[in-house]
Structures are given as structure tokens and as C-alpha cells.
Amino acid sequence: MKLQAVLFDLDGVITDTAKYHFTAWKQMAGRIGIEIDSDFNESLKGIERMQSLERILIHGQQEQKYSQAEKEGLAQEKNDEYVSLLANLTPEDTYPGIKELLQELQEKKVAAVIASASKNAPLILEALQLNTYFHSIVDPSGVPGKPKPDIFLKGAEQAGAKPSFCIGIEDSQAGIEAIKTAGMYAVGIGDDRILKPSGADIVYPSTEELTLQRLLAAAHMI
Ligand code: BG6
Ligand code: MG
């Protein structure tokens, strides 16, 4: 088998936390008079916290309004709301097929790595009780965010894998772009009209379809 590592995005791939990010941003933005809808939210997926806030402020034409300290306060407000929404997360919230895929990878000794922009990744994996399936989690601090390839490249390096023998799985446009720039095979989860234009090699509507056999055949890495 050529496959050396599978790099997983977290929010929207392992579990449905993408909806909590949207809810928390929507609330914070609403408080400062900015409305965001689900189309605009596509441009926030995969994007690091402070960068997301910048995009929201530009969207609401308020990019000059706040000092750095005030922006940090707004991002903190959003994160507090987000973390409170995570409180009810249990292993049952893991998306279908994910645990089975992780078990298969573990059996075949293929490294599974978390390549997420989220600083809350350790907290979420613990709530889902999935920690033991992952070789490592990429620390996103100090690394250029998606759509830059760095988070995925760092993940491959941590696993001692060559990018061309890695598969990345993502639900966001920025993430798919990052995987392709890293030179990996890109699997999209979601709507192919949204993810194909960003360069996804294949798009599945749901994680249910993610089996190791299917991934190996699609990526020609058997
Ligand atoms: C990404 C999400 O996984 O993580 C983004 O798609 C989010 O919506 C980003 O902004 C950063 O997450 P956190 O948990 O560090 O604010
Ligand atoms: Mg995501």
C-alpha cells in the first residue's frame, strides 16, 4: 500500500461542529450589527479565528472600527459562546463512518493526523473519545492558516509521510485548496458544486462513504 497518512480536518469532517462555529459567529456579529448568512459562512469555513473575525468586519464594513484589543475581545466572546455549545458533545456526535475508518487505519498502521485550524481540537477529540486513534494533532499556532498548505505539510511531517502519499479530507473550500497546494490527494465532504471548483479530487456527500478501500481506489494508492 502506498498510502502513508490520512490528514483529517476536524470541524465538519469528524463531527458537526461547523454548525456551532456558524451559530457563535452569527450571534457575535449580530451584536455589532452585522448579518451573516450561510453562503457567507462558506468563506469562513477552515479559516482561523482572528482571520474569520476580519472577514466578518470587512463584510459589515466595520474593518476600521475596532482596536486590536477590542477585536481580541470580540473573538473571545465568540469562542466563549462556541465552547459553551461544545459542552453537550458526546461520542455519539462523531459523524457516521469516521470511527470505522479510524479503526481500519489503525489496523493497517496508516497514521491518522488532525490538520485543523482549531485551537479547540484537543477538547473536541476528548469529548468524542477519539484521541487514541490519532498519531498526532497539528498545532495551528504560528503556522500560516488555510488556504496555505502549511497545516497539512506539518501534519505529513509529524507522521513521517511524503505528501504525495497522503490523503487530506476537508469540508471547506480553503481546506481543499490547502491540501492541493500541499501536493496531496483531496477528498471533499459536502457539496461538489462548492468543493470541486476549489480543486477537490473527489467529493462525497457524507462521511458515511469514507471507507479505506474506497479511498485507496480513488487515490490510486493501493
Ligand atoms: C476551523 C473552522 O476548523 O477552525 C473555522 O472551520 C474556525 O470555522 C477555525 O474558525 C478556528 O477554530 P477555533 O476553534 O480555534 O476558533
Ligand atoms: Mg472544516
Side-chain angles (χ1 to χ4, degrees):
M1 193 199 313
K2 292 184 200 153
L3 179 66
Q4 296 178 350
V6 179
L7 293 101
F8 291 81
D9 175 45
L10 175 66
D11 301 307
V13 168
I14 302 282
T15 184
D16 199 10
T17 38
K19 71 174 179 214
Y20 296 147
H21 278 295
F22 182 38
T23 305
W25 280 128
K26 208 173 157 58
Q27 268 193 31
M28 188 234 79
R31 273 197 296 276
I32 58 169
I34 300 176
E35 245 198 67
I36 59 174
D37 61 17
S38 61
D39 274 350
F40 175 75
N41 187 52
E42 287 303 321
S43 73
L44 297 183
K45 285 186 181 171
I47 305 297
E48 180 270 329
R49 198 181 305 164
M50 289 306 283
Q51 279 292 319
S52 299
L53 175 65
E54 292 294 344
R55 288 188 183 200
I56 291 169
L57 294 177
I58 290 169
H59 181 68
Q61 292 166 338
Q62 295 191 19
E63 65 267 39
Q64 309 293 359
K65 198 166 166 183
Y66 301 98
S67 67
Q68 189 55 28
E70 286 168 333
K71 285 182 195 170
E72 271 156 27
L74 290 171
Q76 185 64 51
E77 255 180 58
K78 181 266 172 180
N79 193 56
D80 290 346
E81 173 66 25
Y82 176 65
V83 170
S84 78
L85 293 170
L86 293 180
N88 299 321
L89 215 59
T90 73
E92 281 70 54
D93 294 305
T94 306
Y95 267 152
I98 292 292
K99 192 162 177 188
E100 292 75 6
L101 175 61
L102 289 169
Q103 280 164 341
E104 274 189 285
L105 293 172
Q106 200 164 55
E107 275 164 28
K108 301 274 164 22
K109 302 201 174 4
V110 175
V113 176
I114 289 286
S116 166
S118 175
K119 298 190 172 72
N120 291 300
L123 179 77
I124 294 171
L125 289 185
E126 199 177 316
L128 299 176
Q129 295 175 14
L130 291 178
N131 314 51
T132 56
Y133 293 102
F134 288 97
H135 169 276
S136 55
I137 302 174
V138 174
D139 177 2
S141 18
V143 178
K146 301 170 188 179
K148 294 263 168 57
D150 303 65
I151 293 181
F152 286 95
L153 290 172
K154 204 170 157 191
E157 191 188 311
Q158 282 177 190
K162 240 181 106 174
S164 55
F165 295 132
C166 290
I167 294 177
I169 309 179
E170 263 288 350
D171 69 318
S172 73
Q173 295 171 325
I176 292 285
E177 225 181 294
I179 295 171
K180 289 318 294 172
T181 310
M184 300 175 182
Y185 187 83
V187 175
I189 299 297
D191 187 337
D192 60 355
R193 288 164 305 182
I194 294 175
L195 300 178
K196 275 272 179 177
S198 301
D201 293 299
I202 195 164
V203 178
Y204 297 116
S206 143
T207 53
E208 236 166 325
E209 283 154 86
L210 291 174
T211 63
L212 180 56
Q213 207 187 4
R214 217 173 257 165
L215 290 178
L216 289 172
H220 303 291
M221 288 196 201
I222 295 173

